[in-house]
Amino acid sequence: MEISTTRLSLRRLTPNDVTDAYVGWLNDPDVYRFLETRLSVQNKKSVLDFVAEKAASDNEFLFGMFLRDSGRHIGNIKVGPIHRHHKVADVSLLIGERDCWGKGYAAEAITAVSRHAFEKLGVAKLSAGMYVANEGSRRAFLKAGYRQEGLRRAHYESEDGRTDLVEVGALPGEIT
Ligand SMILES: CC(C)(COP(=O)(O)OP(=O)(O)OC[C@H]1O[C@@H](n2cnc3c(N)ncnc32)[C@H](O)[C@@H]1OP(=O)(O)O)[C@@H](O)C(=O)NCCC(=O)NCCS
C-alpha cells in the first residue's frame, strides 16, 4: 500500500529501509533537537527493533517519506497508536535529510497521512504536539489544516530549559 502526493510516495517501513543514513538522522543534533528520540541511544539495532515493531503493528503506522522522482528516503511520518474506543491518534514526523527542509514536504506528508487516517484507518480525531520553539513543525501542521488547541506551560526539558508544548489537532474535513 502506497500513498502518493505530488512529490512524495509514502509507504510503511520495513527493516530493509534501515540504512546508515536513516540511523544518522537520529544522531544529528539539528534533527533531534526537538525529538524525544534524543533521550535514548540510537543505533542500527535500536532503529531496526523500532521499525520491526511498527511494521508488525495493526495500530501504529510508520510511513517512510520517499521523493517520487528519485526514490530517496528523506524522513518518516507516524500515525498512532490509535485508541480504538475514542478513535484518536497522534501524528509525528521527522525529515532527516536537512537539505529537504523548508520545501513544503512536511505539510504535504501531514496532509496525505491525515486524509488516509480519517478515510482508511477509522480515526475520528488526530493530534500532534511540538516544542514551542519548533516553528517549522507548528506551521507545517497548521498549513495542513490542524488548529492549535492547547499550550501546556513548561511541559518539557529542553536545551533552553523548561519549555512549553504546543498541542494541535484536526477533525475530518479540516485537512486542506
Ligand atoms: C519540523 C519539520 C518537520 C518541518 O518540515 P519542513 O518540510 O521543513 O516543513 P514545511 O516546508 O512543510 O514548512 C511548513 C511551514 O513552516 C515554515 N518553516 C519550516 N521550517 C521552519 C523553521 N525552522 N523556522 C520557521 N519556519 C519554518 C515554512 O516556511 C512553512 O511556512 P509557510 O506556512 O509560510 O509555508 C522538519 O524541519 C524536521 O523534520 N525537523 C526535525 C525533526 C522535528 O523537529 N520533527 C517534528 C517534531 S514535532
Side-chain angles (χ1 to χ4, degrees):
M1 209 278 315
E2 194 170 298
I3 305 170
S4 281
T5 68
T6 314
R7 296 173 298 166
L8 298 172
S9 169
L10 310 175
R11 62 166 173 78
R12 288 186 81 176
L13 287 183
T14 72
N16 286 336
D17 296 306
V18 180
T19 58
D20 290 342
Y22 173 2
V23 177
W25 304 339
L26 300 170
N27 290 296
D28 177 342
D30 287 334
V31 175
Y32 67 57
R33 187 168 161 219
F34 300 121
L35 295 178
E36 303 305 290
T37 54
R38 74 183 190 284
L39 305 179
S40 53
V41 172
Q42 301 293 332
N43 55 33
K44 193 116 182 197
K45 183 181 180 322
S46 67
V47 179
L48 277 169
D49 289 348
F50 175 80
V51 170
E53 184 198 319
K54 303 308 168 205
S57 174
D58 59 4
N59 200 39
E60 260 187 298
F61 298 84
L62 176 65
F63 297 98
M65 297 165 47
F66 298 87
L67 295 183
R68 281 178 65 173
D69 61 1
S70 61
R72 183 181 178 205
H73 183 194
I74 63 163
N76 300 331
I77 183 162
K78 182 162 78 71
V79 180
I82 300 172
H83 191 295
R84 291 295 168 188
H85 181 79
H86 294 300
K87 303 185 177 67
V88 293
D90 288 329
V91 173
S92 55
L93 82 161
L94 88 157
I95 295 177
E97 297 293 342
R98 280 191 272 115
D99 64 302
C100 293
W101 287 2
K103 296 186 171 162
Y105 291 129
E108 198 169 313
I110 294 165
T111 299
V113 297
S114 300
R115 287 217 181 98
H116 177 76
F118 289 136
E119 289 166 13
K120 308 275 192 226
L121 302 177
V123 172
K125 166 83 193 281
L126 288 166
S127 303
M130 65 283 302
Y131 292 26
V132 70
N134 198 347
E135 184 74 17
S137 178
R138 191 178 62 82
R139 286 176 63 171
F141 277 96
L142 296 183
K143 201 166 160 185
Y146 284 63
R147 301 184 190 181
Q148 185 167 332
E149 297 184 333
L151 184 76
R152 303 188 81 168
R153 296 169 306 137
H155 197 71
Y156 283 134
E157 283 293 336
S158 78
E159 60 189 23
D160 305 317
R162 298 300 299 175
T163 191
D164 297 348
L165 164 68
V166 176
E167 296 179 311
V168 299
L171 299 172
E174 293 178 346
I175 299 301
T176 51

